[in-house]
Amino acid sequence: MDIAAILTKYKHIAVVGLSDKHDRASNAVARYLIHAGYTIYPVNPSLGTVLGHECWPSLSAIPPEKRDLIEIVDIFRKPQDVPPVVDEAIAIGAKVVWMQLGITNEAAAEKARNAGLDVVQNRCISVEHMHLES
């Protein structure tokens, strides 16, 4: 599935590594996604809430009634920290693993693809969405 199809079809996005600091890319991207009409599910073990949303320590810690809605897992973590996030994305039944700009992990990407997920690497989800709008 191409990026335009992913961003058009799916509206529920877990943002893994979301920061509460407004100057961080993860925060700006999450704010953009909310404004664009997406539902976000913040994941950060250090936060209780962020951007007015409850925040969970991991994908698997999200209550099932919310976790089952997640379609895209948007990852703001170092490349070496991506594999366990991909494992959780597969386990919760996500449709897409999205690694933000500057983040690639070929082994994790291959594992996600082999489990039937679409994979986007080294792309900013908000920038890609802006391209759809123009």
Side-chain angles (χ1 to χ4, degrees):
M1 184 177 300
D2 68 18
I3 288 174
I6 289 168
L7 294 175
T8 303
K9 181 175 183 178
Y10 301 127
K11 298 297 178 191
H12 294 266
I13 303 173
V15 183
V16 178
L18 177 53
S19 173
D20 59 353
K21 295 178 176 68
H22 284 287
D23 62 336
R24 294 281 177 91
S26 63
N27 191 283
V29 167
R31 283 184 278 126
Y32 176 89
L33 292 171
I34 292 166
H35 181 74
Y38 293 90
T39 301
I40 68 158
Y41 304 84
V43 176
N44 184 323
S46 303
L47 302 174
T49 61
V50 62
L51 300 174
H53 294 268
E54 185 174 358
C55 192
W56 293 277
S58 65
L59 291 170
S60 58
I62 299 172
E65 65 275 8
K66 294 180 188 274
R67 186 175 61 225
D68 292 348
L69 299 172
I70 295 170
E71 298 158 318
I72 300 173
V73 175
D74 186 20
I75 304 172
F76 285 90
R77 300 291 313 272
K78 294 176 184 165
Q80 64 267 29
D81 296 333
V82 167
V85 177
V86 167
D87 289 343
E88 279 197 304
I90 293 166
I92 68 165
K95 310 294 186 226
V96 180
V97 167
W98 191 298
M99 296 177 227
Q100 277 294 138
L101 194 61
I103 304 169
T104 59
N105 185 310
E106 280 305 324
E110 189 63 26
K111 186 171 189 177
R113 285 188 204 100
N114 288 341
L117 281 72
D118 288 311
V119 176
V120 178
Q121 297 188 85
N122 194 27
R123 300 277 186 137
C124 178
I125 196 167
S126 61
V127 169
E128 296 300 328
H129 185 267
M130 284 182 225
H131 290 159
L132 292 180
E133 300 295 302
S134 57

